[in-house]
Amino acid sequence: GENVEQHPSTLSVQEGDSAVIKCTYSDSASNYFPWYKQELGKGPQLIIDIRSNVGEKKDQRIAVTLNKTAKHFSLHITETQPEDSAVYFCAASSMNTGFQKLVFGTGTRLLVSP
Amino acid sequence: KAGVTQTPRYLIKTRGQQVTLSCSPISGHRSVSWYQQTPGQGLQFLFEYFSETQRNKGNFPGRFSGRQFSNSRSEMNVSTLELGDSALYLCASSPDRGGSGELFFGEGSRLTVL
């Protein structure tokens, strides 16, 4: 089955710096890659997603890149702010098995210091 | 629009007991998925229901079961509780239209097994 690895497990940056979180997946059939942000005491919330027919997607300060050949995808956050501090999860799924059946990475705890 | 509502938010059980958790999806959402979140195993897919039918299942033992009602509300049940079942159980709903991938998570039910 699918396996998703995520690095780093923790990431500390200064406000205004950029943050990059990387994930790799194993199943070449995976074609949907969302990123979720989880704040303390809350459920995960989708921040951006990308499908396998696209190499890059941007939404304001957040961008995601996908390299299908290498089975890598990454989250880029620019001009980080203290409110970006949270745990971020990458995930993968396949339209064949249903996009609701997400395989999550182990999470990255991002701390943005003022 | 109200979000995904999960009840109870916190509960404590002892080994061998059983527990039922409830989830009310966002109005109009027909798909409900359940995930288990633990520090050791991370976020793991349990099952997904659509139109009162289990459409997808993860790799959990038969002690974990669920159902969905005609109004899309869902329940999950864990029988013969074990210490390792202590976790945050997250419910997520999705409209399941047009291939949209976003899952809307509730805040979870935190189960402690003593």
Side-chain angles (χ1 to χ4, degrees), chain A residues 36 38 51 97 99-100 102, chain B residues 35 37 56 96 99-100 103:
Chain A
Y36 280 83
Q38 187 173 26
R51 297 184 188 277
T97 56
F99 66 80
Q100 293 91 346
L102 291 170
Chain B
Y35 285 81
Q37 186 173 26
N56 228 328
D96 198 56
S100 169
L103 297 184

Side-chain angles (χ1 to χ4, degrees), chain B residues 8-80:
Chain B
R9 291 291 314 280
Y10 303 90
L11 65 166
I12 300 174
K13 295 285 187 179
T14 56
R15 277 182 302 173
Q17 287 187 311
Q18 68 145 11
V19 66
T20 299
L21 309 176
S22 180
C23 171
S24 292
I26 292 172
S27 178
H29 287 191
R30 298 166 63 193
S31 169
V32 174
S33 305
W34 288 89
Y35 285 81
Q36 181 196 64
Q37 186 173 26
T38 61
Q41 299 298 316
L43 280 153
Q44 292 187 290
F45 175 80
L46 281 156
F47 28 64
E48 183 237 348
Y49 287 86
F50 180 81
S51 293
E52 303 179 65
T53 301
Q54 187 181 85
R55 191 164 63 171
N56 228 328
K57 188 176 185 304
N59 298 322
F60 279 81
R63 299 186 298 108
F64 293 81
S65 62
R67 58 177 174 169
Q68 187 181 33
F69 302 95
S70 59
N71 61 358
S72 294
R73 191 177 71 84
S74 178
E75 290 181 346
M76 68 162 283
N77 183 276
V78 188
S79 62
T80 320

Side-chain angles (χ1 to χ4, degrees), chain A residues 1-88:
Chain A
E2 174 66 281
N3 182 51
V4 177
E5 294 190 359
Q6 182 173 348
H7 300 280
S9 57
T10 59
L11 181 57
S12 294
V13 300
Q14 293 289 317
E15 182 177 0
D17 287 350
S18 294
V20 180
I21 303 171
K22 298 183 178 182
C23 290
T24 61
Y25 63 98
S26 61
D27 189 351
S28 56
S30 290
N31 56 7
Y32 176 65
F33 307 93
W35 287 86
Y36 280 83
K37 175 184 180 182
Q38 187 173 26
E39 296 176 336
L40 199 61
K42 296 189 176 181
Q45 182 177 15
L46 180 73
I47 55 171
I48 196 167
D49 58 8
I50 192 167
R51 297 184 188 277
S52 60
N53 57 348
V54 175
E56 183 175 2
K57 185 177 178 181
K58 265 188 169 182
D59 183 4
Q60 299 182 335
R61 296 186 297 110
I62 294 173
V64 57
T65 59
L66 171 65
N67 183 328
K68 280 180 9 182
T69 304
K71 298 198 186 84
H72 289 172
F73 58 115
S74 300
L75 177 71
H76 304 252
I77 306 174
T78 59
E79 300 172 24
T80 54
Q81 301 166 3
E83 50 265 39
D84 293 330
S85 297
V87 180
Y88 291 80

